Amino acid sequence: MAYENLAVVERTLSDLNLRLNGLVSKYQSLRNQAALIHQLPNELLAKIFFFTVQGLDAKHFSQLHNLAQVSSKWLRLIKATPSLFGYVTTDGTLEAAFRALRLSKDAPLDIKYSKGELSDLAQ
């Protein structure tokens, strides 16, 4: 009998924990939406993102990834702004170049590819 009561209490606590986590997530989302940065027009925010990643070379995609994790609005905006993916530098695999090609859609694309030193070519 005591084990059955314990199982009921554990299930109840688990359900309450799930509900609490959902409420906390909803609260955080509402709090984030009220922040002044989220009141900026998408065009201005996209320009800010562009200047943030400009000249980062190899860190370009990681910085965009960090920005996209701030909120679902920022993620949607980044995905909807092909010009953010128009420049990529890669020094090894072409994975970053292919990703930029896919994400840049119809925007101009500038790929800087450098693998090794010129002296390596002589060998």
Side-chain angles (χ1 to χ4, degrees), residues 37-81:
I37 190 83
H38 291 295
Q39 306 305 316
L40 293 175
N42 286 343
E43 296 79 14
L44 181 58
L45 203 50
K47 282 282 189 194
I48 292 170
F49 292 165
F50 180 79
F51 289 119
T52 300
V53 298
Q54 187 178 16
L56 289 179
D57 293 341
K59 295 183 180 184
H60 185 98
F61 282 121
S62 65
Q63 183 63 29
L64 283 173
H65 177 74
N66 291 341
L67 290 170
Q69 290 183 329
V70 170
S71 70
S72 58
K73 176 186 176 182
W74 286 22
L75 173 63
R76 286 189 307 273
L77 179 60
I78 288 169
K79 286 183 174 182
T81 310

Side-chain angles (χ1 to χ4, degrees), residues 2 15 28 33 51-52 56 63 68 78 86 99 102 105 110 118:
D15 291 344
Q28 290 172 335
Q33 291 172 17
F51 289 119
T52 300
L56 289 179
Q63 183 63 29
I78 288 169
R99 188 172 3 160
R102 180 174 43 84
K105 299 178 184 167
D110 182 13
L118 288 177

Side-chain angles (χ1 to χ4, degrees), residues 88-107:
V88 65
T89 298
T90 181
D91 59 359
T93 68
L94 291 177
E95 179 184 339
F98 288 127
R99 188 172 3 160
L101 182 61
R102 180 174 43 84
L103 295 169
S104 67
K105 299 178 184 167
D106 291 336

